[in-house]
Amino acid sequence: MYHYDVFISYLRTADPIARWVRNHFHPRLCELLDGNLDRDVQVFFDGSVRVGGKWPDELRSALRHTRILVPVCSPKYFYDEWCRAEWASMERREELAGGDSPTTLIYPVIYCDSKNFPPFAHERRMQDLTEWNHPYEQFEVSAKYIGFHDRMNRIATEIEELVSAAPAWRADWPVLNPRPDAPPVSSFPRL
């Protein structure tokens, strides 16, 4: 059975992204989904791991028991082993569940610089949130935050539809561990 509706996947080692997810993206997504649905919404992100919990085991279990993956994309996201495993696992689930009709279980949002994403990422339509990628708590009291909230409202509506259309849970949902590709070599000369 599913334990989570949404799994937020992001590069945990990138401090600005982690702060943005913790300060803005996660709370707004939870608030909007919870306000729009007739049941409690369960959203997993790394703050959900219990103190003393075994990180890899809890991530694998949460991913296996989640309906929709929401990756917060940055160029380095696609070269991180855990982020790549989360994306590939849900991509494989889409293949297993799809049959004759495509199933969408990955809802990517762009945190920054999508021109440096790998080709497979560009095959998906993504929500661009670069205009609102301010990690600081003060962003919440700025005039720009209204635009962020409006965009998050649209995102929550689209995610609700994906959650409702997610396939029935299966005990054999895979959790893959692919090795990410090596980052591209810089074209700038070394001095």
Side-chain angles (χ1 to χ4, degrees):
M1 76 178 352
Y2 287 115
H3 301 293
Y4 301 99
D5 296 297
V6 174
F7 184 111
I8 299 175
S9 173
Y10 66 99
L11 186 60
R12 293 157 183 85
T13 58
D15 186 56
I17 298 170
R19 279 186 286 151
W20 182 78
V21 169
R22 188 174 46 254
N23 291 336
H24 306 298
F25 187 75
H26 175 256
R28 288 305 73 73
L29 185 61
C30 289
E31 168 190 76
L32 293 166
L33 287 174
D34 199 51
N36 292 345
L37 293 174
D38 60 353
R39 60 181 176 75
D40 289 339
V41 174
Q42 301 299 318
V43 176
F44 179 88
F45 88 115
D46 65 343
S48 306
V49 176
R50 298 169 290 141
V51 172
K54 292 183 178 178
W55 183 262
D57 295 340
E58 293 217 16
L59 283 180
R60 283 186 194 96
S61 177
L63 188 60
R64 182 173 283 119
H65 293 90
T66 298
R67 296 174 196 275
I68 303 296
L69 180 75
V70 177
V72 177
C73 301
S74 63
K76 291 180 183 173
Y77 173 92
F78 297 99
Y79 301 104
D80 178 81
E81 184 175 353
W82 281 105
C83 295
R84 189 67 192 99
E86 292 159 4
W87 182 293
S89 297
M90 202 58 82
E91 195 169 51
R92 179 67 180 127
R93 187 186 303 181
E94 285 178 337
E95 293 168 5
L96 293 172
D100 293 334
S101 60
T103 301
T104 302
L105 302 175
I106 301 173
Y107 187 94
V109 298
I110 302 171
Y111 177 81
C112 63
D113 192 18
S114 63
K115 68 182 178 290
N116 288 309
F117 291 179
F120 72 86
H122 287 289
E123 294 174 1
R124 293 186 182 264
R125 184 179 76 83
M126 298 185 173
Q127 281 289 342
D128 187 351
L129 294 178
T130 57
E131 183 179 344
W132 303 284
N133 67 358
H134 309 287
Y136 308 106
E137 291 177 20
Q138 299 88 319
F139 173 52
E140 197 168 328
V141 295
S142 72
K144 275 183 98 171
Y145 200 81
I146 299 296
F148 173 70
H149 193 275
D150 290 344
R151 178 63 62 91
M152 288 299 295
N153 218 348
R154 284 190 300 235
I155 288 170
T157 300
E158 291 178 356
I159 289 175
E160 288 169 34
E161 292 171 12
L162 295 178
V163 165
S164 297
W169 185 79
R170 291 176 24 188
D172 66 341
W173 287 140
V175 177
L176 307 176
N177 292 311
R179 290 278 181 218
D181 297 331
V185 177
S186 173
S187 59
F188 295 110
R190 294 194 107 155
L191 302 176

